């Protein structure tokens, strides 16, 4: 069976493992977008570290959890995030302005919404975590 949205499956797997109290989780298949998303989560201290396991297929990721994630989801369809509408998206998706991050795909790569605002760039929303 073909996976339609590997990013959504990976984030749901992380969220379920956090809810069960697991210390680590195995995500498969691996992709570049998932790795970049996890790097953003790691920069903000929501996950500890992750290891890419190459199995000569699609690959796997072993993620060590810290217990800080309340919710992480992919957003489909990937809505446009414009600088002038940024407050609207933050208010609609995140529980508070000081809490959580939207993850965007921009021309600068995959960034959180605060970095995108600093660089004065918009993009497409691919997910969020808090």
């Amino acid at each position: 069976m073909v996976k339609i949205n590997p990013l959504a499956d990976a984030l749901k797997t992380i969220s379920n493992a956090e809810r069960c109290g697991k210390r680590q989780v195995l995500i498969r298949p691996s992709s570049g977008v998932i790795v970049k998303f996890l790097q953003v989560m790691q920069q903000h201290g929501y996950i500890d570290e992750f290891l890419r396991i190459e199995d000569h297929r699609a690959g796997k990721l072993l993620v060590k959890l810290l217990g800080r994630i309340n919710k992480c989801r992919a957003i489909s369809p990937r809505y446009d995030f414009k600088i002038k509408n940024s407050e609207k998206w933050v208010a609609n998706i995140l529980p508070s302005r000081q809490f959580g991050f939207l993850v965007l795909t921009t021309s600068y790569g995959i960034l959180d919404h605060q970095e995108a605002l600093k660089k004065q760039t918009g993009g497409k929303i691919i997910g969020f975590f808090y």
Side-chain angles (χ1 to χ4, degrees):
M1 206 167 134
V2 178
K3 289 197 176 204
I4 302 300
N5 192 346
L7 177 65
D9 293 343
L11 296 179
K12 189 70 171 174
T13 303
I14 290 172
S15 188
N16 288 342
E18 279 280 2
R19 204 170 280 142
C20 291
K22 306 260 189 215
R23 301 307 301 160
Q24 61 185 11
V25 62
L26 185 69
I27 297 171
R28 31 179 288 262
S30 166
S31 75
V33 174
I34 296 172
V35 169
K36 297 285 186 186
F37 199 102
L38 291 176
Q39 286 173 348
V40 172
M41 291 175 79
Q42 189 178 28
Q43 286 172 359
H44 294 290
Y46 280 82
I47 62 172
D48 187 19
E49 59 184 19
F50 60 94
L51 174 69
R52 192 169 193 165
I53 302 167
E54 192 58 48
D55 61 354
H56 302 293
R57 291 183 186 90
K60 299 176 186 174
L61 290 166
L62 184 66
V63 181
K64 292 188 179 174
L65 304 173
L66 294 175
R68 288 196 57 207
I69 300 172
N70 294 318
K71 192 172 188 179
C72 61
R73 294 284 189 276
I75 294 180
S76 182
R78 294 183 174 176
Y79 294 108
D80 287 331
F81 181 88
K82 297 178 182 169
I83 296 170
K84 64 181 180 182
N85 296 337
S86 63
E87 280 300 316
K88 179 190 92 164
W89 284 110
V90 170
N92 284 346
I93 296 173
L94 299 178
S96 170
R97 271 189 252 156
Q98 303 94 351
F99 190 61
F101 298 93
L102 294 176
V103 181
L104 314 170
T105 179
T106 67
S107 57
Y108 293 103
I110 294 180
L111 309 170
D112 63 78
H113 72 279
Q114 292 174 345
E115 280 184 63
L117 289 176
K118 284 179 193 169
K119 293 185 178 185
Q120 291 291 306
T121 185
K124 302 266 188 189
I125 303 174
I126 61 172
F128 65 93
F129 61 92
Y130 55 85

